[in-house]
């Protein structure tokens, strides 16, 4: 059973996001980068499959040299090897352009399952897994919370979170599965794991190695473009709702939640 | 290529999702500027009766794909039907609701058509006749304006509740275009084996959209019934602070906080919770926080978007009634 | 009477005695050798530095009996009893030189040391013997009638007590007979001997019979002493021999400094999962334990009914060591290192319980709050906490095996440098409007104020940080903070066993501090204080570190800070473990309170070195307390017993734990918690 986990390096979710004064991007200097939390579920699941069926787990990660730290995190957890896609041409790509490069890299890898996080917590797109499946001609199931691979490894039964319940699906393998919270509890790498990770193979591939054209990836290969970044409207300081007793305050609260917060 | 704006109208349990009506309302305005029309795509089994309603909100045409194989959503069937329709008609814009279904389907269709797609948009507009959208990133810590290039059709999924619904005009009837559905069952690579309903039951804390949580101020286990009632009305899940769990009023699995569950619902209602840092560490990423506590110095008010300083035993029953009224109205 | 040549079955006594001594010594040496070889399985540890200080320390603790006298209380006088037995034992040990000597040297007596000595020493011996008998009877009563929790009523204790009592009885018998048969040998001042002599005469015992009975008493006495000697290394009385060594080899490092793992990049295993992976000194601790239970009755985990008892921990490991040790030694007498020994154990077929999970349950390992009370109270200076941390290190670093709620804490420290995982860039937000120098902007400061995670992120403790800033400003201290560059000091990570994470945090911080050429640091939190002061030097971070209470007291004593606004309250002070026991800062907080007009300072029964942990130390702050009673509520009860209006603390963890307990017990109407810093600010003119 071979799995490939597509991993993205993202700023930690607690990061303070500062936008460049001209709105052309965010300031990345002070950001602490980590593995996308949803991708960790994929790594953990890949390791579980490996423990149960044997085979290998591979990380596929696109990004500049700083992503090596994130790749090592996965290797420390127990992933066997990693492929890093590093080329300036990959930069600035949207989900489509990114998936295109990933798909190309995947053609050179062996897999029965490809895991992607259900979304990356930086761009919050929730697209790459599905597009990847399409480009590779594979089925996909998004938002999985449970995975049982059949003994013949030709299919799997997954629990998938949908509105109002859990859908239990059978999917033919190979397939792309996007992982949701609840699938598992990602392990904490042991220290020997961390040490071993430093010696595990990391295959760095650039545009030429993938045999792709610079026009089909990165910014040039993208179908969407971010034209401007803006800060969200300043969240008003907490409001204490004034009023004479619950008969006044409760309706006010309901109204605010409905009209201002729009959460009801 | 046409100047047509399409809306994928998701239907569930014999009802059109509200987000579809929101998108049609918006699409109508855009179509006026663009000089085009609005079409809705409706898929499912026995969904024809729903088509007319789409017209009331502004859909000029409804592409109706009504077939047994579309009864339950499968990526392969839905994407095949939709992709073929789009290929044939070449609308300039396709909008989806940013629902679980919409977010599963739209990237698949976009990829097959090599079209641009923006997810979870909070605003859609036109710039020089082309689609532009606004969408949050970094869990809402930044917003981005997006433009599209390089494809005939541009696509976006739109967040529910982000766009206003215009009042329906029941005199408007849409043109209904029935779509032939040619799907070989072997093309569908996933089969639904079972659907486990959790509606009625509570969602898990970590996945809940709304959480009503009680702390030491609840005074005793019996009072949590009050929170259960509030949660019932809101479709929320009930959580508890460490103090309440330690006191044995709630199970350990209900604990929110540093050593319990880390949650980030859209709405977190903290009742009788002072807001010790260990609790805040487990819920401060909630999108909106409401605090009800009689101690105005409680640290929870520092984190809350809305606070009521009052006796929770008086506030909560009234609040529950108010929410009931609201739900009944909508 | 010439004992040496007295013949039994035609063989002179000196030959028989020589045989008896040789046999006893053979048993004794054989056992000691066995113990020694097992000890040598342990890993290396250099405990030979500073020999002079080591000798002085050991002598002082033993000769003055400080080891047991330091904690004698009206409720527990056992230390007094031990001192009596100890001095008695010294006297008798001296007298035994003569007793055995007489078996070889005819005519040997106390007279060779002068007549005065020969006159008074037997009197002393009689008095001591009476005291010892009293001590034994008392000890037996305690063990078998009173039964305090810390003592166990084992057969071993009864046998030892029996032997000691018999020794005394035979001393009197010998003396009594000798007074009658050899009056010049024994001074008449030995009043009990004389009394016995009179009794024997009154009973009409013949002189020859008395001679025979004397020889018999002498023999039994000698054999009892030899037997006792053999018994020592087989029993908990091994401490008679080993306590001096254990005291000599005591760690000379600051108590608050855990031993670092130095070769992190190279090592293959981390921490301890096999008994032989402890150092020889840690194994010596196991041998030396006298099972007195002082650790146990002061252990917050034990007192709150958790599975951990430091005494049982040590004892169980000792039993395990003696079981597994011989397997490790195999045929040869143990010269191999840890991993070889391990392989050896596997080959030799040791199939007993594993150390972690078997000998010591995981629950015990996680129950420890590392408060250090066990080490503080231990008469032989055993080092318990580092053993527990060594086992935690194995569990955490090798197996990622820890309470599930800890994973988030580690991640949070890694990604945001604080245990709550709040965005690191917001660390200095509390100080935004206070106009404080941030070192990255202006590093020209006299004092670096180390705020700590609680002081930076926790609403309650932010108030304390602000109060300290107000004090600094009032006095005109030129200070600054690191702002967003400050990180968690790593105390919890280290004590939970994640040495890797700790070293990452520590080395990064040390670099930053050195970069700003920081000389003096004031910390708000005792955990930061201990870590920066005692543990950072291990990684090249040598800074002058003072705790806020020490700093404030210094300001008061120099007249720079006047506390003139009265606080009319009855206040008790709770000693933080890492300020008190680990760093002996007991007085500063109390003196500050006393400097505030109106304060009525009252002490809880358990205070200073005997203070009980709030329950949050050793990383327990971040773990759920599933077992036993809540430590913070137990400690709150100590305060409630003396009815103060306010509990003062000098530690953010303690304050949090108390405030939780106060709310839990619903006593907030009558009792509040405050930090000494807040009280200082309130009382400032």
């Amino acid at each position: 059973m071979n799995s490939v986990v597509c991993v993205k390096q993202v700023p930690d979710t607690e990061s303070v996001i500062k936008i460049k004064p001209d709105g052309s991007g965010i300031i990345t200097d002070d950001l602490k980068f980590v593995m996308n939390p949803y991708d960790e579920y994929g790594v953990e699941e890949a390791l579980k499959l490996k423990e149960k069926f044997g085979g290998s787990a591979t990380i596929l990660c696109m990004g500049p040299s700083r992503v090596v730290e994130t790749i090592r995190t996965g290797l420390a957890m127990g992933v066997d090897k990693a492929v890093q896609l590093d080329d300036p041409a990959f930069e600035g790509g949207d989900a489509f352009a990114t998936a295109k490069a990933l798909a190309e890299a995947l053609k050179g890898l062996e897999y029965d399952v490809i895991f992607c996080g259900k979304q990356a917590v930086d761009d919050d797109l929730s697209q790459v897994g599905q597009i990847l499946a399409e480009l590779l001609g594979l089925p996909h199931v998004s938002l999985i919370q449970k995975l049982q691979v059949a003994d013949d490894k030709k299919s799997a039964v997954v629990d998938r979170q949908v509105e109002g319940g859990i859908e239990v699906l059978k999917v033919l393998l190979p397939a792309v599965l996007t992982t949701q919270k609840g699938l598992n509890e990602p392990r904490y790498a042991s220290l020997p794991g961390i040490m071993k990770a430093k010696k595990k193979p990391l295959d760095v591939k650039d545009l030429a190695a993938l045999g792709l054209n610079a026009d089909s990836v990165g910014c040039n290969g993208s179908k969407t473009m971010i034209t401007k970044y803006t800060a969200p409207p300043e969240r008003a300081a907490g409001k204490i709702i004034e009023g004479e007793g619950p008969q006044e305050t409760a309706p006010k609260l309901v109204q605010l939640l409905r009209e201002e917060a729009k959460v009801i | 290529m046409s100047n047509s704006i399409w809306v994928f109208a998701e239907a569930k349990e014999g009802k059109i999702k509200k987000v579809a009506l929101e998108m049609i309302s918006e699409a109508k305005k855009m179509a006026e500027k663009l000089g085009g029309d609005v079409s809705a795509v409706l898929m499912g089994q026995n969904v024809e009766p729903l088509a007319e309603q789409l017209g009331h909100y502004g859909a000029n045409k409804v592409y109706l794909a009504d077939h047994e194989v579309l009864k339950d959503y499968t990526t392969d069937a839905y994407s095949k039907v939709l992709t073929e329709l789009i290929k044939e008609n070449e609308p300039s814009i396709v909008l989806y609701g940013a629902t679980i279904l919409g977010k599963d389907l739209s990237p698949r269709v976009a990829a097959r058509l090599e079209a641009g797609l923006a997810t979870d948009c909070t605003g859609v507009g036109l710039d020089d006749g082309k689609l532009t959208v606004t969408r949050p990133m970094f869990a809402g810590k930044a917003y981005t304006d997006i433009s599209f290039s390089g494809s005939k059709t541009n696509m976006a999924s739109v967040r529910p509740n982000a766009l206003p619904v215009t009042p329906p005009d029941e005199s408007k009837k849409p043109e209904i275009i029935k779509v032939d559905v040619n799907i070989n069952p072997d093309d569908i690579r996933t089969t639904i084996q079972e659907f486990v309903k959790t509606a009625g039951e509570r969602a898990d804390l970590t996945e809940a959209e709304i959480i009503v949580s009680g702390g030491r101020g609840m005074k005793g286990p019996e009072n949590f019934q009050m929170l259960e009632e509030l949660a019932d009305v809101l479709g929320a899940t009930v959580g508890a602070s460490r103090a309440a769990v330690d006191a044995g009023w709630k199970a350990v699995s209900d604990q929110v906080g540093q050593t319990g569950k880390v949650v980030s619902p859209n709405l977190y209602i903290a009742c009788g919770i002072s807001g010790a840092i260990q609790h805040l560490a487990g819920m401060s990423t909630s999108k909106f926080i409401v605090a009800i506590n009689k101690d105005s110095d409680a640290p929870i008010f520092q984190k809350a978007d809305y606070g009521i300083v009052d006796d929770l035993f008086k506030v909560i029953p009234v609040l529950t009634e108010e929410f009931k009224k609201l739900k009944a109205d909508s | 009477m010439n004992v040496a040549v007295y013949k039994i079955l035609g063989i002179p006594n000196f030959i028989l005695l020589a045989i008896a001594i040789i046999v006893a010594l053979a048993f004794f040496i054989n056992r000691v050798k066995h113990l020694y070889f097992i000890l040598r399985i342990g890993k290396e540890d250099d405990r030979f530095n500073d020999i002079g200080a080591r000798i002085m320390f050991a002598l002082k603790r033993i000769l003055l009996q400080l080891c047991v006298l330091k904690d004698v209380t009206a409720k527990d006088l056992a230390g007094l009893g031990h001192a009596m037995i100890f001095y008695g034992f010294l006297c008798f040990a001296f007298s035994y030189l003569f007793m055995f000597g007489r078996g070889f040297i005819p005519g040997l007596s106390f007279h060779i040391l002068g007549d005065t000595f020969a006159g008074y020493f037997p009197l002393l011996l009689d008095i001591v013997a009476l005291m010892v008998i009293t001590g034994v009877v008392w000890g037996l009563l305690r063990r078998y009638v009173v039964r305090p929790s810390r003592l166990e009523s084992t057969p071993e204790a009864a046998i030892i007590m029996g032997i000691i009592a018999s020794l005394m009885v035979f001393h009197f018998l010998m003396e009594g007979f000798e007074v009658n048969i050899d009056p010049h040998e024994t001074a008449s001042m030995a009043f009990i001997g004389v009394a016995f002599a009179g009794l024997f005469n009154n009973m009409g015992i013949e002189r020859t019979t008395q001679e025979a009975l004397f020889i018999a008493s002498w023999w039994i006495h000698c054999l009892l002493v030899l037997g006792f000697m053999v018994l020592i290394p087989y029993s908990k009385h091994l401490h008679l021999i080993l306590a001096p060594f254990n005291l000599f080899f005591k760690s000379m490092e600051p108590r608050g400094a855990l031993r670092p793992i130095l070769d992190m990049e190279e090592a293959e295993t981390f921490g301890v999962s096999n008994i032989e992976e402890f150092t020889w000194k840690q194994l010596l601790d196991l041998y030396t334990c006298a099972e007195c239970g002082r650790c146990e009755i002061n252990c917050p985990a034990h007192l709150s009914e958790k599975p951990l008892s430091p005494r049982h921990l040590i004892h169980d490991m000792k039993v395990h060591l003696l079981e597994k040790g011989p397997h490790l030694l195999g045929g040869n007498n143990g010269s191999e290192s840890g991993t070889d020994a391990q392989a050896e154990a596997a080959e030799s077929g040791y199939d007993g319980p594993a150390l972690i999970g078997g000998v010591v349950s995981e629950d015990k390992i996680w129950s420890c709050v590392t408060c250090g009370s066990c080490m503080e109270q231990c008469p032989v200076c055993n080092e318990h906490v580092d053993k527990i941390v060594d086992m935690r290190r194995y569990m955490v670093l090798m197996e990622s095996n820890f309470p599930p709620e800890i994973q988030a804490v580690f991640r949070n420290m890694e990604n945001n440098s604080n245990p709550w995982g709040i965005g690191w860039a917001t660390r200095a937000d509390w100080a935004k409007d206070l106009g404080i120098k941030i070192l990255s902007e202006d590093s020209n400061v006299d004092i670096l104020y180390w705020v700590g995670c609680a002081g930076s992120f926790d609403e309650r403790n932010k108030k304390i940080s602000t109060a300290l800033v107000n004090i600094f400003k009032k006095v005109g201290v030129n200070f600054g903070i690191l702002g967003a560059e400050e990180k968690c000091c790593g105390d919890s990570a280290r004590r939970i066993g994640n040495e890797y994470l700790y070293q990452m945090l520590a080395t990064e911080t040390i670099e930053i501090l050195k970069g700003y050429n920081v000389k003096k640091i004031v910390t708000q939190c005792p955990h930061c204080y201990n870590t920066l002061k005692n543990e950072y030097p291990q990684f090249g971070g040598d800074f002058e570190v003072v705790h806020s209470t020490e700093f404030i007291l210094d300001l008061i004593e120099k007249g720079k800070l006047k506390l003139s606004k009265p606080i009319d309250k009855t206040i008790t002070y709770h000693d933080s473990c890492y300020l008190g026991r680990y760093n002996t800062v007991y007085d500063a907080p109390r003196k500050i309170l006393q400097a505030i007009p109106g304060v009525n300072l009252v002490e809880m029964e358990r205070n200073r070195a005997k203070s009980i942990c709030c329950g949050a130390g050793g990383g327990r702050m971040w773990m759920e307390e599933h077992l036993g009673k809540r430590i913070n509520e137990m400690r709150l009860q100590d305060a409630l017993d003396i009815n103060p209006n306010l509990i003062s603390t000098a530690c953010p963890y303690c304050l949090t734990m108390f405030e939780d307990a106060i709310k839990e017990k619903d006593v907030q109407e009558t009792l509040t918690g405050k930090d000494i810093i807040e009280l200082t600010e309130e009382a400032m003119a």
Side-chain angles (χ1 to χ4, degrees), chain B residues 95-166:
Chain B
L95 302 179
Y96 306 78
T99 59
I100 288 177
L101 189 159
K103 282 158 114 177
D104 185 80
L105 175 66
S106 57
R108 196 87 200 192
V109 174
R112 202 168 297 167
L113 297 165
E114 301 204 357
L117 169 69
T119 318
D120 237 347
C121 302
T122 51
V124 294
L126 292 167
D127 181 29
D128 199 17
K130 284 186 79 177
L131 177 68
T132 62
V133 299
T134 303
R135 62 178 301 272
M137 283 175 53
F138 299 102
K141 288 186 217 170
Y143 278 77
T144 50
D145 293 343
I146 309 276
S147 68
F148 296 79
S149 70
S151 55
K152 290 176 201 159
T153 305
N154 298 321
M155 305 186 179
S157 64
V158 179
R159 200 176 257 196
N161 290 329
L163 304 174
V165 187
T166 48

Side-chain angles (χ1 to χ4, degrees), chain A residues 12-16 18 30-34 40 77 185-195 198, chain C residues 264-265 268 270 396-400 402 407 410-411 414-416 421-426 498 500-501:
Chain A
D12 180 78
T13 47
E14 284 288 322
S15 299
V16 177
K18 289 184 202 144
D30 282 349
L31 294 178
K32 167 77 190 175
F33 287 97
V34 299
E40 286 184 24
M77 287 168 77
E185 287 297 329
R187 65 194 66 187
Y188 188 76
S190 71
L191 190 48
I194 293 170
M195 297 303 171
K198 294 177 182 172
Chain C
M264 206 143 251
E265 297 289 325
E268 283 175 5
F270 306 93
V396 171
L397 297 176
M398 297 298 293
E399 299 191 320
S400 301
F402 39 73
Q407 182 155 348
F410 289 160
R411 295 284 188 100
E414 286 163 12
N415 295 334
N416 283 299
I422 301 166
W424 64 270
T426 63
N498 197 338
Y500 185 66
L501 175 55

Side-chain angles (χ1 to χ4, degrees), chain A residues 115-194:
Chain A
F115 291 104
C116 292
K118 71 148 182 158
Q119 75 190 77
V121 299
D122 53 356
D123 58 29
D124 288 331
L125 276 175
S126 306
Q127 293 187 22
V128 169
Q130 293 92 312
I131 298 175
L132 194 56
E134 179 63 29
L135 296 178
L136 293 169
L138 300 178
H140 83 259
V141 181
S142 56
L143 306 173
I144 70 157
Q145 292 187 308
K146 192 174 166 191
L147 171 65
Q148 282 172 291
V149 173
D151 289 337
D152 66 1
K153 300 178 222 167
K154 296 227 162 69
S155 67
V157 175
V158 298
D159 281 10
R160 168 172 190 263
Q161 178 209 38
V162 293
E163 280 162 66
I166 299 289
E167 202 174 66
V168 183
L169 283 174
K170 185 178 171 188
V171 59
L172 298 176
L173 299 183
V176 175
L177 304 175
T178 82
T179 50
Q180 164 71 310
K181 202 177 209 173
L183 177 62
N184 53 44
E185 287 297 329
R187 65 194 66 187
Y188 188 76
S190 71
L191 190 48
I194 293 170

Side-chain angles (χ1 to χ4, degrees), chain C residues 464-658:
Chain C
I464 299 164
S465 321
T466 309
L468 187 54
V469 166
N470 290 340
I471 296 169
F472 285 152
K473 283 183 177 169
K474 177 98 179 174
V475 181
V477 177
N478 176 20
F479 74 102
I481 60 173
L482 282 179
E485 279 185 291
E486 190 183 284
K487 295 171 192 297
C488 171
C489 66
D491 159 81
S492 287
R494 189 171 220 196
R495 277 156 185 80
I496 293 170
N498 197 338
E499 181 72 3
Y500 185 66
L501 175 55
Y502 162 74
Q503 289 193 14
M504 219 157 66
L505 292 166
T507 50
E508 285 169 9
T509 296
I510 290 167
E511 281 316 301
I512 290 168
L513 292 173
K514 280 183 172 170
Y516 290 121
N517 202 16
V518 168
K519 297 271 183 291
K520 187 169 178 178
I521 301 172
V522 175
T523 75
Q524 179 171 333
C525 167
H527 295 262
C528 303
Y529 171 68
N530 179 65
T531 302
L532 268 65
K533 181 180 169 150
N534 298 323
E535 297 193 320
Y536 279 14
Q538 292 169 344
F539 298 94
D542 288 295
F543 312 102
E544 184 191 349
V545 185
V546 293
H547 185 252
S548 57
T549 53
E550 295 175 295
F551 190 79
I552 290 172
L553 181 64
D554 187 56
L555 293 175
I556 295 171
E557 286 178 343
K558 286 192 176 132
K560 291 182 186 166
L561 183 65
K562 294 221 180 342
L563 305 182
S564 51
K565 278 193 208 155
I567 298 177
D568 291 315
K569 280 192 173 133
T570 300
I571 299 178
T572 187
Y573 171 72
H574 162 80
D575 287 280
S576 142
C577 307
Y578 279 83
L579 196 56
R581 261 189 302 271
Y582 278 107
N583 287 291
T584 61
V585 180
Y586 295 116
D587 292 328
R590 290 180 169 81
K591 282 184 180 167
I592 295 170
L593 289 173
Q594 281 160 342
I596 300 173
V599 167
N600 172 27
L601 176 63
V602 290
E603 293 286 356
M604 289 180 265
E605 185 180 330
R606 297 189 269 211
N607 61 58
R608 299 173 74 97
K610 289 224 164 157
S611 170
I612 292 283
C613 178
C614 67
R620 292 281 339 167
M621 179 78 182
W622 317 110
M623 299 177 211
E624 287 292 4
E625 200 172 348
H626 294 304
L627 303 168
K629 291 193 258 180
R630 311 216 138 243
I631 295 178
N632 61 337
E633 290 172 21
M634 184 175 84
R635 181 57 171 161
L636 179 70
Q637 193 54 50
D638 283 0
L640 292 174
D641 288 346
I642 55 163
N643 254 322
N645 314 121
L646 195 148
I647 300 181
S648 62
T649 64
C651 170
Y653 289 180
C654 299
L655 185 62
T656 304
M657 296 308 269
F658 273 120

